[in-house]
Amino acid sequence: MKSEQHIRLKPMTVMEIASWSLRFYQENFFRLLILVVPGFAVWLIIFLFVFRHDATGSPTQKIQAAGAHELYVAFSLFVFLFMSAVVTAVGIIAISGQLVDKEMNAGKACMRVLDVGFPVLGTLTLSTIVITIGLRLFLIPGIIAYVWFCLAPSVVMMEGEGGLGALKRSCAIVKDYFSKTFLIVVPVAIIEILLAWVILFLPNLIGNHSYLYYLLLSTVFTVLLLLTAPLKIAATTMLYYDLRVRKEGYDLRTLVDELTESPF
């Protein structure tokens, strides 16, 4: 997607970010799709492995009665949120590179994530634990935590901060713009989480615990994720730059400097 770079690094309204993200999504759909496939494929494999014990006739009723099924649900939700954040980290590197006229390369973007593996692992694990607990216990605190920490993958990848420092940095960027951040990142995330809960709980509601049923539901869910996740990543990336432009006078030169260590 080619356009004047300075136009992209200026304060933007919610609608402008949404419009830019949709246009970028349409023009780069297949390249964005390649970015998200590995992460959600990993989630699908783990989900199906964890829920293999829920197949019809498996001797797990007593275990489920003891709460193991709830642990399966919580673990699957954690893995889903974690892999979604990893996919976002890969996406911001690829999209940022294209903003400065570098080719969007999924392989190199993934290598960049591996290069900062420990900061990414620590940061995303911390944020995902907090968000998962909030969602499982009270829902609303989980959503609030998601908004505060939504820029943590961007912070790790672009600024080299990790762990608690990255979470604090994400909160600092979002501060004073919580409502704007909420309107951009939450709608698609809510759709994803609701779909995930449908996958996790629908078999219990209708009494169908067959493995094939889980396979069908989870496959449909993964396909839907592959269609929606790239749009969310594009919007999150542009939100990150928008807030830094507003708060720090961020410009194209700074973006180029921060990408210097990337594998592009």
Side-chain angles (χ1 to χ4, degrees), residues 48-64:
L48 293 175
F49 177 79
V50 168
F51 273 84
R52 75 192 187 282
H53 296 295
D54 285 333
T56 300
S58 63
T60 59
Q61 292 183 352
K62 292 182 179 180
I63 297 177
Q64 290 180 7

Side-chain angles (χ1 to χ4, degrees), residues 53-97:
H53 296 295
D54 285 333
T56 300
S58 63
T60 59
Q61 292 183 352
K62 292 182 179 180
I63 297 177
Q64 290 180 7
H69 184 74
E70 286 300 308
L71 292 178
Y72 291 161
V73 170
F75 178 72
S76 295
L77 182 61
F78 172 87
V79 174
F80 163 67
L81 292 170
F82 182 85
M83 295 310 303
S84 181
V86 171
V87 167
T88 300
V90 174
I92 187 174
I93 286 294
I95 293 174
S96 298

